[in-house]
Amino acid sequence: MKRHIVVGVTGASGSIYGYRLLEQLRSVKDLETHLILSRAAERTGFLELGKVAADWKALAGHSYPIEDIGCRLASGSFVTSAMVVAPCSIHTMSAIASGISSNLIVRAADVTLKERRRLILMVRETPLHLGHLRSMVALTEMGAVVAPPIPGFYYKPATVLELVDHSVHRVLDLLGLPSSNARRWDDLPGVESE
Ligand SMILES: Cc1cc2nc3c(=O)[nH]c(=O)nc-3n(C[C@H](O)[C@H](O)[C@H](O)COP(=O)(O)O)c2cc1C
């Protein structure tokens, strides 16, 4: 049976996280991706990567207009395994935390939570005020995984792509789809297992 993963991309900086996630999910067998791109994501995607909506859509199995709150992703009867918002803006995170389903990303995330499926939010903002932190607590209490893309430096990344992939690989782990290219603690020079 095919697995279905919803990928929401919002207008936080770090479009490359969503782009790399879609690229990596493409190579997973028996898996279909369902992309929702916000208007702000189209803007940051162009500013940061020079990509237009058609480039994003080419990476996904299916894509849906953000306004299409009547499509299958808006219903719990369409069975998905998980949803990732990468990157996730404070705007979208706050809307999900409050249940304000005013666009398809927020509605699909709300459906993911109500159906008790895995929701992973790669929230990107700093510094965080108390309201942001309270929303993160509320989301964690509701079952979401708040997973900001925070790079690790212990494996000595040499390129931006290596930094990005480190966070993307952690998300793939959370999806239960570990990548064979992921750098892991045991691979580090100087780390010995018993
Ligand atoms: C270049 C650029 C970078 C941005 N970076 C962030 C960011 O890192 N985090 C964030 O929460 N919003 C950021 N924003 C603002 C969001 O795009 C804005 O709040 C937008 O309304 C989010 O809408 P969306 O959640 O529907 O994508 C950025 C905007 C631009 C133009």
Side-chain angles (χ1 to χ4, degrees):
M1 222 175 91
K2 278 203 171 160
R3 276 176 296 183
H4 298 275
I5 308 267
V6 183
V7 177
V9 181
T10 73
S13 184
S15 321
I16 194 163
Y17 292 110
Y19 206 81
R20 282 298 286 164
L21 179 67
L22 286 166
E23 280 185 332
Q24 305 217 11
L25 288 175
R26 239 152 74 104
S27 57
V28 180
K29 258 181 64 181
D30 297 325
L31 186 142
E32 284 185 7
T33 51
H34 300 261
L35 169 70
I36 317 163
L37 201 59
S38 78
R39 292 279 166 241
E42 286 187 38
R43 187 161 173 179
T44 48
F46 186 70
L47 276 170
E48 295 183 344
L49 302 174
K51 304 290 183 193
V52 295
D55 298 314
W56 290 90
K57 288 176 190 169
L59 289 179
H62 309 269
S63 63
Y64 307 80
I66 184 101
E67 300 83 10
D68 191 3
I69 42 79
C71 79
R72 57 187 171 175
L73 301 187
S75 167
S77 64
F78 180 65
V79 181
T80 60
S81 306
M83 174 168 177
V84 185
V85 185
C88 182
S89 69
I90 290 296
H91 168 252
T92 293
M93 177 193 77
S94 311
I96 299 168
S98 321
I100 302 171
S101 301
S102 52
N103 69 41
L104 185 60
I105 292 182
V106 186
R107 172 62 187 165
D110 203 60
V111 167
T112 305
L113 287 176
K114 86 181 172 71
E115 299 297 333
R116 309 300 194 265
R117 299 171 190 154
R118 180 148 272 209
L119 175 65
I120 300 166
L121 305 175
M122 294 183 87
V123 180
R124 207 233 68 106
E125 190 51 279
T126 192
L128 299 165
H129 65 57
L130 186 58
H132 300 151
L133 295 166
R134 286 199 170 124
S135 294
M136 289 182 188
V137 170
L139 284 160
T140 305
E141 286 170 346
M142 288 179 222
V145 180
V146 178
I150 297 176
F153 294 93
Y154 44 85
Y155 64 99
K156 299 189 174 64
T159 64
V160 171
L161 204 57
E162 280 181 27
L163 268 183
V164 167
D165 278 354
H166 179 71
S167 296
V168 171
H169 288 149
R170 296 286 73 74
V171 166
L172 291 174
D173 285 349
L174 287 167
L175 289 171
L177 302 167
S179 164
S180 55
N181 296 321
R183 299 285 305 277
R184 302 197 180 277
W185 190 257
D186 286 351
D187 308 331
L188 294 177
V191 174
E192 285 168 24
S193 358
E194 294 278 306

